[in-house]
């Protein structure tokens, strides 16, 4: 399975200097101090050795006591209210919790991590009762504009809630470059599903990120699972690099394509097709049935030429219509077959473990880059170097090397 790159090549050069610099700062000036205490002692179940496990449990208890000391009374009451409401299945508490993890306010970001740690502990307890298997099924859906993603999700969502499932939809909208708000408004387009009490739809603006698939999307998935939603659907903006991100946070990646004219195989990146566990040709009804069959045959041939991602599953191409509901039950049956096969082989659990590692390094990359950009020496040299690069006096590579040198030379050894 292909994973996102851990770090940019240039960042490897100053990684150790950056860590040394951060660790040398006085405790009062370090940011995210609450984060460090939150993660201390986490995931004890993955560590072998009884003595070491007991030591980590003691550290975890100490860390928990420190959390309580650091939180004000109002903050503690807020987190207790959100946690109790969330695990109780209250949609309002889930919405407020996702808002908390989406915030850019430094202190609220720390509070969000405390809440997430409690939800993670609750989810681990649920999975332990479930024989170590995940209690929720995560599905990523993407496709080019006009593929009918929202219509497909609404029809599938209504079918699943009718069968007793709880469905959450994390729909990432393109953002306006002017206002930063969502342009498409998926919640208004899924009118029936949005009124369903067993469904939760969270439209979020991409806010300039590629596909909008960021750390907050991954954390929103965790919150939805903690709230008791056993099916989590993540819809991305369109076909592009963002699909590689969503594929690294879900159990199954589904590519939706319309029966359009033209050279369809050139219209979608090969890498996206390689990541797809299932391809669904939408709008397969009426006059479009003929083109849908042709597109299905083309993609079926294309998939045979690609390397398999899994030993337990062969990607397939199917047709479905959100208008007539034809093929919709069969599509979901294939998703269930995929889940059962991957669980039986242990690949699904292994994929989730690998994904956690990917997202950890992704966050390290983001935070390290932010620290680098805000470093006084870098900020001082950056404007002049940018001007020299734009005038063609020096190459971008040399400018990057000079900035890295300014960062490492001024960092404590």
């Amino acid at each position: 399975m292909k994973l996102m790159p851990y770090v940019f090549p240039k960042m490897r050069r100053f990684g150790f200097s950056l860590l040394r610099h951060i660790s040398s700062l006085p405790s009062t000036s370090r940011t995210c101090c609450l984060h460090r205490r939150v993660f201390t002692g986490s995931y004890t179940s993955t560590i072998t050795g009884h003595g070491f496990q007991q030591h980590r449990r003691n550290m975890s208890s100490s860390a928990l006591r420190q959390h309580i000391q650091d939180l004000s009374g109002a903050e503690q009451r807020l987190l207790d209210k959100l946690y109790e409401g969330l695990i109780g299945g209250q949609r309002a508490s889930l919405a407020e919790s996702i808002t908390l993890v989406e915030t850019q306010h430094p202190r609220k970001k720390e509070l969000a991590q405390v809440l997430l740690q409690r939800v993670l502990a609750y989810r681990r307890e649920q999975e332990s009762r479930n024989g170590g298997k995940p209690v929720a099924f995560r599905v990523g859906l993407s496709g080019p504009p006009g593929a009918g993603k929202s219509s497909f999700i609404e029809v599938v969502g209504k079918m699943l809630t009718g069968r007793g499932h709880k469905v959450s939809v994390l729909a990432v909208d393109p953002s306006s470059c002017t206002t930063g708000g969502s342009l498409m408004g998926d919640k208004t387009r899924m009118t029936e599903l949005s009124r369903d009490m067993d469904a939760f739809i969270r439209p979020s603006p991409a806010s300039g990120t590629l596909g909008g698939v960021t750390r907050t999307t991954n954390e929103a998935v965790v919150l939805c699972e903690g709230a008791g939603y056993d099916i989590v659907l993540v819809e991305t903006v369109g076909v592009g690099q963002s699909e590689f991100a969503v594929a690294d946070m879900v159990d199954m990646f589904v590519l939706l394509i319309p029966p359009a004219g033209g050279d369809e195989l050139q219209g979608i990146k090969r890498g996206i097709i390689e990541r797809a566990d299932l391809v669904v040709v939408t709008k397969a009804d009426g006059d479009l049935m003929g083109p849908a069959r042709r597109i299905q045959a083309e993609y079926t041939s294309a998939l045979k030429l690609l390397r398999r991602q899994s030993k337990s599953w062969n990607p397939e191409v199917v047709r479905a219509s959100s208008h007539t509901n034809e093929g919709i039950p069969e599509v979901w049956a294939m998703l269930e077959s995929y889940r059962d096969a991957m669980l039986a082989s242990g690949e699904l659990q292994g994929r989730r473990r690998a994904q956690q590692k990917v997202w950890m390094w992704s966050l390290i990359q983001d935070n390290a880059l932010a620290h680098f950009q805000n470093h006084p020496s870098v900020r001082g040299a950056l404007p002049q170097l940018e001007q020299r690069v734009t005038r063609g006096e020096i190459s971008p590579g040399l400018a990057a090397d000079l900035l890295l040198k300014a960062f490492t030379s001024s960092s404590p050894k």
Side-chain angles (χ1 to χ4, degrees):
M1 179 179 64
K2 295 182 180 179
L3 300 177
M4 293 191 305
Y6 287 164
V7 289
F8 290 123
K10 288 291 183 184
M11 293 183 67
R12 294 192 183 99
R13 298 187 182 184
F14 72 90
F16 291 110
S17 298
L18 177 59
L19 293 175
R20 284 198 303 267
H21 179 76
I22 295 175
S23 62
S24 67
L25 294 174
S27 60
T28 54
S29 64
R30 297 181 195 175
T31 59
C32 301
C33 61
L34 194 54
H35 290 193
R36 293 195 304 275
R37 287 190 283 269
V38 167
F39 291 111
T40 303
S42 299
Y43 300 101
T44 57
S45 61
T46 62
I47 304 174
T48 58
H50 175 73
F52 191 56
Q53 285 188 5
Q54 184 63 42
H55 173 66
R56 293 296 296 268
R57 280 194 291 268
N58 292 339
M59 291 175 65
S60 180
S61 299
S62 175
L64 182 59
R65 287 194 296 270
Q66 187 66 55
H67 302 162
I68 298 174
Q69 293 174 4
D70 287 338
L71 294 174
S72 68
E75 290 172 337
Q76 184 66 60
R77 288 190 296 271
L78 172 64
L79 292 180
D80 288 343
K81 173 190 170 186
L82 290 178
Y83 176 75
E84 295 299 332
L86 188 140
I87 65 172
Q90 298 179 12
R91 295 198 295 181
S93 295
L94 174 57
E96 192 173 351
S97 298
I98 294 178
T99 300
L100 186 64
V101 303
E102 288 178 343
T103 183
Q104 295 302 312
H105 189 279
R107 180 59 179 176
K108 289 183 179 179
K109 288 173 69 174
E110 295 180 349
L111 296 179
Q113 290 305 313
V114 177
L115 176 62
L116 281 165
Q117 285 305 112
R118 294 184 66 179
V119 175
L120 282 171
Y122 174 74
R123 192 184 69 181
R124 288 198 301 273
E125 182 181 345
Q126 286 185 311
E127 291 179 352
S128 177
R129 295 175 181 174
N130 196 37
K133 297 180 179 180
V135 295
F137 186 33
R138 307 169 181 172
V139 181
L141 299 120
S142 189
K149 295 185 291 292
S150 296
S151 299
F152 179 84
I153 290 173
E154 180 168 45
V155 171
V156 171
K158 287 296 294 181
M159 181 187 72
L160 293 177
T161 57
R163 295 182 180 183
H165 292 283
K166 293 190 67 178
V167 180
S168 64
V169 180
L170 301 176
V172 184
D173 279 354
S175 295
S176 166
C177 297
T178 305
T179 65
S182 298
L183 294 176
M184 297 170 65
D186 279 291
K187 194 168 185 178
T188 62
R189 296 190 293 158
M190 303 180 194
T191 53
E192 292 295 327
L193 191 61
S194 63
R195 290 196 292 262
D196 195 319
M197 295 305 296
D198 289 323
F200 175 82
I201 302 176
R202 177 72 179 203
S204 299
S207 302
T209 59
L210 190 57
V213 182
T214 59
R215 157 187 174 167
T216 58
T217 308
N218 194 39
E219 292 175 342
V221 170
V222 174
L223 294 174
C224 288
E225 293 178 352
Y229 291 89
D230 59 327
I231 306 293
V232 181
L233 307 178
V234 182
E235 177 195 0
T236 60
V237 171
V239 173
Q241 195 66 27
S242 64
E243 279 58 43
F244 289 94
V246 74
D248 282 321
M249 71 169 65
V250 296
D251 303 323
M252 185 176 191
F253 178 54
V254 180
L255 179 63
L256 305 178
I257 54 175
D263 193 346
E264 287 77 13
L265 294 180
Q266 294 298 322
I268 298 177
K269 294 181 181 179
R270 173 182 171 178
I272 304 304
I273 303 174
E274 287 179 336
R275 299 305 298 269
D277 299 302
L278 180 67
V279 178
V280 180
V281 182
T282 59
K283 304 181 180 180
D285 55 63
D287 295 338
L288 293 176
M289 182 60 76
R293 289 196 181 100
R294 181 174 57 83
I295 296 298
Q296 181 184 19
E298 289 182 4
Y299 273 87
T300 299
S301 299
L303 287 175
K304 291 178 181 178
L305 303 176
L306 302 178
R307 185 175 58 185
R308 290 177 58 183
Q309 293 187 86
S310 168
K311 297 178 181 179
S312 308
W313 179 258
N314 285 320
E316 296 188 35
V317 184
V318 297
R319 300 188 309 271
S321 170
S322 302
H323 179 64
T324 65
N325 279 10
E326 184 178 353
I328 297 295
E330 289 77 9
V331 169
W332 179 249
M334 295 199 71
L335 267 67
E336 289 184 313
S337 297
Y338 170 89
R339 179 185 59 188
D340 294 341
M342 296 291 282
L343 280 173
S345 67
E347 286 188 62
L348 191 145
Q349 297 91 322
R351 173 179 287 196
R352 285 201 176 188
R353 288 191 293 268
Q355 288 171 349
Q356 292 301 103
K357 195 176 187 179
V358 166
W359 282 97
M360 181 191 75
W361 281 105
S362 176
L363 295 179
I364 291 174
Q365 174 180 302
D366 292 343
N367 292 332
L369 182 59
H371 185 79
F372 172 76
Q373 291 173 328
N374 292 324
H375 192 276
S377 298
V378 174
R379 287 166 57 183
L382 185 59
Q384 182 182 5
L385 286 173
E386 283 183 335
Q387 290 180 3
R388 295 183 66 186
V389 168
T390 56
R391 290 197 297 262
E393 296 177 2
I394 61 174
S395 68
L398 176 58
D401 289 338
L402 292 173
L403 288 172
L404 291 168
K405 184 176 180 180
F407 175 84
T408 55
S409 61
S410 59
S411 299
K413 304 298 183 183

